[in-house]
Amino acid sequence: KLVYFPPDEYEQALEYIRLRPNMNIVVRVVAAQNIVAGEVAPVHFVMFDNALVFRKGDEITSGLIESKLTQPEIEQKLKTLLSHVNEIAMNKGVIPDAAGHVGDVSYSQITDIATKIKKQKGTVNLHILAAEDTYNIGPLLINFSLSTNHGI
């Protein structure tokens, strides 16, 4: 026996699923406490309907960034916006991974968009959009879009 869950909780989980015959359900098994290797792990079930959170192209957030900033300053602004995206997505129901993230953006993506911002003149409005339909289970994939008073 590797895990233990109370029989009534198991029945509640089954009932949750039975009442939603045409729904995609996410079942998360959560450890109730820390254990030592070899001990039985008491767990609980957390159930979610896997509903649509963002449609492809939905704007998640946007922010103004001055192109006259240094590359590291622009990258820091981008990281701040991405943290905000993570917070928005979790608040809307996207389930984070074990590290607390709802998606992944590589450092090369950050430097690429920072370079594009740096090449603009004046204030750039950075729009962060859902790259595809995103459900509660995630992950959230994003695209960047830039706009300025001068056009792109």
Side-chain angles (χ1 to χ4, degrees):
K1 199 174 191 184
L2 297 175
V3 297
Y4 170 78
F5 44 85
D8 62 322
E9 190 169 329
Y10 176 75
E11 290 300 323
Q12 289 173 356
L14 288 178
E15 186 64 14
Y16 185 94
I17 293 167
R18 272 191 222 115
L19 292 173
R20 293 161 177 79
N22 298 319
M23 292 287 299
N24 288 322
I25 308 279
V26 178
V27 179
R28 179 175 265 183
V29 180
V30 181
Q33 65 187 48
N34 293 332
I35 61 165
V36 176
E39 289 183 341
V40 174
V43 299
H44 297 289
F45 297 110
V46 180
M47 314 291 282
F48 300 93
D49 294 339
N50 193 26
L52 183 66
V53 179
F54 297 107
R55 291 194 182 282
K56 180 179 180 177
D58 281 354
E59 182 171 288
I60 301 162
T61 193
S62 65
L64 299 175
I65 301 176
E66 293 291 332
S67 63
K68 67 182 177 184
L69 295 173
T70 66
Q71 183 89 7
E73 289 171 327
I74 293 171
E75 290 174 12
Q76 187 55 50
K77 296 265 187 193
L78 289 170
K79 290 175 187 175
T80 299
L81 274 173
L82 291 171
S83 291
H84 187 58
V85 166
N86 201 68
E87 182 181 325
I88 290 168
M90 286 193 300
N91 287 340
K92 288 191 171 240
V94 178
I95 301 167
D97 62 18
H101 301 111
V102 297
D104 188 32
V105 176
S106 69
Y107 183 69
S108 66
Q109 288 174 287
I110 292 171
T111 58
D112 288 348
I113 197 70
T115 300
K116 288 179 184 175
I117 291 169
K118 189 76 181 141
K119 289 179 181 177
Q120 301 297 315
K121 293 184 178 169
T123 303
V124 175
N125 194 356
L126 176 67
H127 305 271
I128 300 177
L129 314 168
E132 60 184 48
D133 287 353
T134 304
Y135 292 81
N136 295 104
I137 197 146
L140 172 60
L141 303 176
I142 59 173
N143 287 326
F144 299 99
S145 173
L146 304 177
S147 63
T148 64
N149 291 337
H150 305 98
I152 295 181

